[in-house]
Amino acid sequence: MAGEGDLKLLGLLVSPFVVRVRMALHMKGVSYEYIEQDVIDKGELLLKYNPVYKKVPVLIHNGVPLCESQIIVQYIDEVWPGTNGSSILPADPYDRATARFWAAYVDDKLFPAWLGILKAKTQEERAEKVKETLAVVELLEAALAQCSNGKPFFAGDSIGFLDLVVGCNLLWFEALRRLFGVTFVAAGKTPLLAAWAERFGGTEAAREVVPDADKAVEFAKKLMASLCSAPVANAS
Amino acid sequence: MAGAGHELKLVGMWASPFVTRVKLALHLKGLSYDYVEEDLSSKSELLLSSNPVHKTVPVFIHGGRPVCESHIIVQYIDEAFVAAADGSPPLLPADPYERATALFWAAYIDDKVLKPWRRVFSARTGEERAEWMEQAVAAVDALEGVLAGSKEGGFFGGDSVGYVDVLLGGIVRWVHATAAISGDELFDAARTPLLAAWMERFGELDAAKAVFQDVDKVVDYAKMIMALFAAGSAAT
């Protein structure tokens, strides 16, 4: 494969979508220039390289942008296949379809639910979103049992696509626990996920990339403040 | 090698554009399969057990193993049955950047075009319907831009039908139906000439002729749904 070329990543350190991309890059041993973005007051770079969604992460490879974190991770896996002995997506088409199915479910159902806890304007709304999040986590416990088949990670012996997609939400579970006292993954209710979460956190990629939950708490406070002062509520 | 009729099963509903996507993909690959028509008002054991998370169609069952979510199913078919019966190239390009681009626009279609467009049919008033239609039409502009930048051939996949063509192709009969009912064109020839031409070209494909629904039936079905939703409201 040709050399890395010029790689830049526009991101937000605490964004779960950015965390999964950075972990993927780390797994491949690929170096890049990281550029932190202000996602509340968006800058030129973000608007230029992601005009459709104006969101992070954006991977810029040799000047060409790639958007949407799941697509970026798959791109990274294909451009640097088996580099560092790590393959992110499974080889088998059916396993790939299964991983994609749960990845779509996580981004469609889990993220909006816990984000809703932050954005909730009333205690009732917050409680509703907590309930929603817990319901999704319960389903993910079953998904883990099905996908891992007794092995330590969703992908098997080492972390893969679905581990990245789910795992990047963990720092926010911890942040939400510190902010609101809610626990989403506990050995009592979701034993498989609890054990998996520890293992995930202990991987080299996670230790290198995942920021401390305090940073997420800090950002949450900023976000909640900006939502209070903004006259128009954030859509989706 | 898999492909024998009894190994492939598609659980669907005749009107669903998402099911049409899968039928198109299967036809393009020259694959035969058992089709099971589902009564969505009284879901079968087969559907509920093979798609317990969403309980929706399409569900593609290969050798007894279910794959859910139309965009995931189409990608799965492309990966599991790499060689089409007529030797035509895979739906997704080999180049990682082109794949990422195709996946990006596929996600865009579902997120930005279909989300508002579906709501045209469940709108309670003519006003609501017009609002959702406006949103969908505005989102379609970006797709016109993609075609403008595409290689020769007039398909999103270039010379041959690709992933994005199949996913967008699933809605063609519904686009015709909407035009017949209200005169609203999703792919207006004046505003998005390339897309209007694309729709004609797509309709001429053998696969389209083989799997597309009867437009009159879709018109009747669409009218029925729209009447159902409008029925509960005061104004129309």
Side-chain angles (χ1 to χ4, degrees):
Chain A
M1 204 77 240
E4 283 154 21
D6 178 57
L7 258 187
K8 291 183 172 51
L9 180 67
L10 306 184
L12 174 73
L13 283 174
V14 297
S15 158
F17 307 103
V18 173
V19 166
R20 64 175 66 146
V21 170
R22 294 186 65 211
M23 285 186 67
L25 288 165
H26 184 90
M27 284 164 74
K28 299 292 185 179
V30 164
S31 54
Y32 58 99
E33 184 193 344
Y34 178 77
I35 311 171
E36 180 81 348
Q37 299 298 299
D38 181 344
V39 299
I40 295 172
D41 187 14
K42 296 173 184 183
E44 281 301 313
L45 222 50
L46 193 52
L47 300 176
K48 173 182 174 186
Y49 285 108
N50 192 356
V52 175
Y53 295 107
K54 308 174 179 51
K55 287 180 175 172
V56 290
V58 181
L59 183 72
I60 308 171
H61 192 193
N62 293 325
V64 173
L66 290 113
C67 308
E68 295 297 282
S69 65
Q70 287 191 32
I71 294 176
I72 298 173
V73 170
Q74 291 181 76
Y75 174 81
I76 289 167
D77 200 34
E78 288 165 13
V79 173
W80 294 280
T83 309
N84 251 16
S86 62
S87 191
I88 297 177
L89 267 104
D92 177 70
Y94 188 77
D95 293 337
R96 292 157 78 88
T98 304
R100 287 176 181 136
F101 174 86
W102 285 112
Y105 179 79
V106 169
D107 284 358
D108 273 347
K109 307 283 183 196
L110 183 65
F111 173 69
W114 69 248
L115 187 65
I117 297 169
L118 277 185
K119 292 181 164 185
K121 297 196 184 71
T122 64
Q123 286 282 45
E124 271 126 20
E125 223 190 296
R126 185 158 290 142
E128 195 45 58
K129 289 296 169 183
V130 168
K131 223 171 118 188
E132 233 179 88
T133 308
L134 286 168
V136 174
V137 169
E138 215 182 290
L139 212 54
L140 288 176
E141 173 82 356
L144 178 55
Q146 181 196 59
C147 295
S148 65
N149 223 5
K151 295 198 166 181
F153 298 101
F154 280 92
D157 291 313
S158 55
I159 55 172
F161 187 65
L162 194 49
D163 297 278
L164 294 184
V165 170
V166 182
C168 62
N169 290 279
L170 291 171
L171 92 134
W172 276 97
F173 284 172
E174 176 54 24
L176 289 163
R177 190 190 65 77
R178 294 181 195 186
L179 282 164
F180 304 112
V182 286
T183 304
F184 296 108
V185 175
K189 282 201 92 182
T190 52
L192 293 178
L193 276 173
W196 165 84
E198 282 238 29
R199 287 191 290 266
F200 180 87
T203 62
E204 206 206 296
R207 281 183 285 121
E208 276 299 314
V209 170
V210 180
D212 192 80
D214 276 335
K215 295 258 171 359
V217 170
E218 231 177 271
F219 180 79
K221 291 181 171 164
K222 244 202 296 191
L223 182 65
M224 291 190 287
S226 82
L227 291 173
C228 282
S229 52
V232 180
N234 266 2
S236 163
Chain B
M1 195 78 249
H6 59 272
E7 268 202 67
L8 306 183
K9 190 175 274 187
L10 175 62
V11 182
M13 200 280 269
W14 70 271
S16 163
F18 303 99
V19 172
T20 303
R21 289 172 165 178
V22 179
K23 287 182 175 177
L24 285 165
L26 288 166
H27 195 277
L28 288 164
K29 293 284 184 182
L31 296 167
S32 51
Y33 57 97
D34 286 337
Y35 177 73
V36 177
E37 176 73 10
E38 192 67 30
D39 174 1
L40 294 178
S41 64
S42 171
K43 294 177 181 179
S44 71
E45 215 12 76
L46 177 63
L47 177 57
L48 297 176
S49 62
S50 57
N51 190 359
V53 175
H54 300 298
K55 307 177 177 58
T56 52
V57 292
V59 179
F60 181 64
I61 307 176
H62 182 191
R65 299 193 301 179
V67 183
C68 308
E69 297 295 281
S70 64
H71 66 283
I72 293 176
I73 296 172
V74 173
Q75 192 170 5
Y76 171 75
I77 289 169
D78 199 39
E79 290 177 2
F81 304 98
V82 175
D86 64 356
S88 54
L91 296 173
L92 275 160
D95 173 72
Y97 179 70
E98 289 180 25
R99 287 168 74 81
T101 304
L103 290 169
F104 176 88
W105 290 111
Y108 177 88
I109 287 168
D110 281 2
D111 254 347
K112 297 288 186 185
V113 179
L114 294 197
K115 267 210 183 107
W117 197 60
R118 290 175 83 169
R119 300 191 73 162
V120 165
F121 302 94
S122 58
R124 280 159 305 165
T125 64
E127 219 172 58
E128 240 183 80
R129 198 169 296 145
E131 260 173 54
W132 288 119
M133 190 66 192
E134 209 183 295
Q135 250 190 67
V137 167
V140 151
D141 284 346
L143 295 176
E144 179 80 359
V146 177
L147 273 182
S150 248
K151 298 182 269 204
E152 296 290 320
F155 289 112
F156 287 92
D159 279 327
S160 60
V161 175
Y163 184 67
V164 175
D165 298 283
V166 170
L167 297 191
L168 195 59
I171 73 170
V172 169
R173 273 296 182 258
W174 279 84
V175 174
H176 287 141
T178 321
I181 294 172
S182 62
D184 289 323
E185 302 268 5
L186 184 63
F187 303 142
D188 179 70
R191 181 179 175 143
T192 51
L194 295 176
L195 276 167
W198 170 87
M199 190 168 68
E200 282 231 30
R201 190 177 301 117
F202 193 91
E204 287 302 305
L205 294 170
D206 285 337
K209 292 182 175 163
V211 317
F212 272 1
Q213 308 95 322
D214 187 293
V215 71
D216 291 326
K217 290 205 175 112
V218 178
V219 166
D220 287 341
Y221 184 81
K223 281 181 172 169
M224 181 199 69
I225 296 184
M226 286 157 80
L228 263 173
F229 280 100
S233 73
T236 257

